[in-house]
Structures are given as C-alpha cells and as structure tokens.
Amino acid sequence: MSTPAAHRLRPIGVTGLDNRKLGMWIFLASEVMLFAGFIGSFVNLRAANLVTMTEAAGLLNRPLGAVNTFVLITSSLTMAMAVGAMHRGNRAWVKLFLLLTIVLGCGFLGIKGVEYSEKFAHHYTPHTNLFFSFYFIMTGLHALHVFVGVVLMTVLLASVAANSARTDEVVVENVGLYWHFVDVVWIFLFPLLYLT
Amino acid sequence: MGDDMKEHVAHGPSYRDYVAVFAGLAVLTAATVALSYSGLAEGLRHFLAFTIATAKAVLVGMIFMHLRFDRRLIVACAVTPVVLAILFILAIAPDIGKAP
C-alpha cells in the first residue's frame, strides 16, 4: 500500500506490512485447513455412502439455504463498504455499514435457527446418520464463526462510535477479512450440502 | 481521469466495484440454485456448481478482501493454504468410494 493513509498504519514489521494484518491472514490460513479437513472428509465419505447421503441432502430446506446465501453475500457487500468508508475517513458511513452487516449476520443466524428447529422437530439430529452428523458439525462450526463475527463487529461499532483512536483502518480491515472468509466458507458449504 | 477512477487509485476498489462484484455474486448464486433443479447429469452438475463456487470465492478474495491490490506476501498467505487443502483432498482421494 502506498496511500498517504497507509503511512499512518502501525506497527510495520520487517515484511513492510502491518503485523496485525499479516497475523490475520496467517490465522485465516489455519482456518482454511480446519474447514478443509471437514470438507475433504465429507466428500470422501459421501462417495462411500452415496444413497444415504443423497437422500438425506434432499431433506434440507433448499430455498432457505439459498436465501441465507443471499443474506451472507449482501453482508459481505456492506462489510466491504464499511472498510472502503474507513479508508476514506467517513466514520458515519462506517457505522451505518457495520450496523447493516450486524443485522444481516443476525438474520443469517436467525434463518439457520429456523432450519435447525425444523430438523429437530422431525427428529433429524447429528446422531441420525452420517450426512446429518456432517451437516450439523459443518454448519454449526460455520454458524459459530458468524456469531463471533457479529460480536467482533458489535465491539468495533461501539469503538468507532466512541471515536476511539485505537480503532484505525487495519482493525476495521481485519474484521472485514474475517467476515469475508466466513462468506467464502459458506459459498462452498451451500452447494456441497444443499445442492448435491 | 474521472472522480471514480481517482478514488480507485487512491483507495483500492471503488464503491462501484463493490456493487458490481455483489451483482456478480448474486447472479452466480441464482445460477447455482437453478443448476440444482436442472436435468443435467449429476457429475456435470457437481462440476459446474463447484466451478461457480470457486469463481465466487475468487471474486470475494480479489475485490472484497483486496488480494488484487495487496502485497505478494499476503497473496502467498491466502493461496498457500488453498493449495495445501486441495493436496489434502487429493491425498485422500484414493479412499473415495470405499466404505469406512
């Protein structure tokens, strides 16, 4: 980065990058491997148990899954806008877009809750079969990430609203990176679980 | 140079870029859902669905996560685990289709 704003960023290590941003990317790299373990195992075991897995996947609520995908990509847009507004020094827009992202994140969790309650009402639990075991662990782990993201954004919003000097561009960008990663994970989970 | 272009040079992607990427993601999501209701062969449907998912992930990574504008070290941090994840899935591929 060579913008005037970039020179205010801190702390810069020997890499020439802000250490906090580099740290976030290394954390996200570890997260990729975490989800790859589950996704790789699912792909493998699905092929070995094709009939059970395909029949169980047909029991998922595809329209709700599609709506949730749309909600999450919309939240990625509002998060990107929040980061863009922070780069431009427009804190009022940062607050607005963070608030919208929080609302959309809560919406995603609400819809997921409706889906889970539907499944439990029909006695589909992680113990039902291999598919539902994977479905609940993968979507549950993802929902946990969404929840953590909503908490992070709420703290960030409070900090921006308080005009805290500690909340600079990199802090907002890091929360944004985390949120976009959560979106990317769902981009793969949706076709993997709902559409195969 | 228009205002939007000046904004682009100074701060990375413009708001317009973000909205364009969002529109692309929405269209690709609709295409994925439509594909699942199509009568195409299962293998082809899966291939297309994951090709579309990869295209969506690349859009989010390049523009929303700024990888297109970031330093090479950051890009390496993003690409390396993806390559390792693919290698991991390929490594267990010989077991695919075998009952546990």
Side-chain angles (χ1 to χ4, degrees):
Chain A
M1 290 172 71
S2 59
T3 64
H7 298 303
R8 296 197 305 271
L9 304 182
R10 60 185 162 70
I12 305 295
V14 290
T15 56
L17 293 164
D18 188 292
N19 287 340
R20 295 167 297 170
K21 184 172 172 178
L22 186 58
M24 174 53 82
W25 271 106
I26 292 169
F27 167 70
L28 293 182
S30 73
E31 288 275 85
V32 169
M33 296 315 293
L34 171 67
F35 280 99
F38 285 113
I39 290 173
S41 305
F42 177 78
V43 170
N44 190 347
L45 291 171
R46 182 187 180 279
N49 303 274
L50 202 54
V51 175
T52 309
M53 296 293 236
T54 311
E55 281 177 2
L59 298 169
L60 296 186
N61 192 327
R62 198 178 291 182
L64 271 189
V67 169
N68 242 358
T69 305
F70 191 75
V71 167
L72 213 53
I73 60 171
T74 308
S75 76
S76 247
L77 170 69
T78 54
M79 189 71 229
M81 294 290 227
V83 173
M86 192 69 187
H87 282 310
R88 291 162 178 81
N90 189 340
R91 289 200 168 218
W93 278 40
V94 176
K95 285 185 277 185
L96 172 68
F97 284 122
L98 276 179
L99 183 63
L100 285 172
T101 314
I102 291 167
V103 169
L104 289 163
C106 290
F108 178 91
L109 290 174
I111 292 171
K112 200 82 228 142
V114 169
E115 279 192 74
Y116 277 4
S117 60
E118 268 182 7
K119 293 292 157 286
F120 286 129
H122 290 93
H123 307 290
Y124 297 124
T125 71
H127 302 290
T128 303
N129 59 29
L130 193 60
F131 177 84
F132 279 106
S133 179
F134 270 105
Y135 168 75
F136 281 106
I137 192 73
M138 290 201 288
T139 59
L141 184 64
H142 178 264
L144 180 66
H145 278 74
V146 173
F147 175 75
V148 169
V150 168
V151 171
L152 287 174
M153 286 186 290
T154 306
V155 172
L156 184 62
L157 177 60
S159 177
V160 173
N163 234 349
S164 168
R166 295 179 67 179
T167 308
D168 60 17
E169 291 173 44
V170 177
V171 175
V172 178
E173 196 174 348
N174 272 353
V175 175
L177 287 173
Y178 174 84
W179 192 254
H180 296 311
F181 171 78
V182 168
D183 184 26
V184 168
V185 170
W186 185 256
I187 281 173
F188 285 99
L189 288 186
F190 175 57
L192 195 67
L193 292 168
Y194 288 77
L195 306 180
T196 56
Chain B
M1 192 184 286
D3 284 349
D4 196 60
M5 186 56 78
K6 280 181 195 164
E7 190 180 69
H8 188 103
V9 170
H11 302 285
S14 66
Y15 292 129
R16 204 179 296 171
D17 292 333
Y18 290 140
V19 174
V21 167
F22 167 73
L25 291 173
V27 168
L28 289 172
T29 300
T32 311
V33 175
L35 191 66
S36 73
Y37 290 104
S38 73
L40 292 174
E42 187 183 284
L44 182 59
R45 263 192 298 121
H46 290 179
F47 173 76
L48 289 174
F50 286 99
T51 302
I52 291 173
T54 304
K56 287 167 72 179
V58 168
L59 272 178
V60 172
M62 296 290 267
I63 308 299
F64 283 174
M65 298 173 90
H66 297 172
L67 282 175
R68 190 177 166 202
F69 310 95
D70 260 323
R71 301 273 291 269
R72 281 184 192 165
L73 182 59
I74 294 288
V75 176
C77 282
V79 172
T80 306
V82 174
V83 172
L84 290 174
I86 292 168
L87 284 177
F88 166 73
I89 293 171
L90 287 177
I92 61 171
D95 292 334
I96 286 181
K98 294 178 185 168

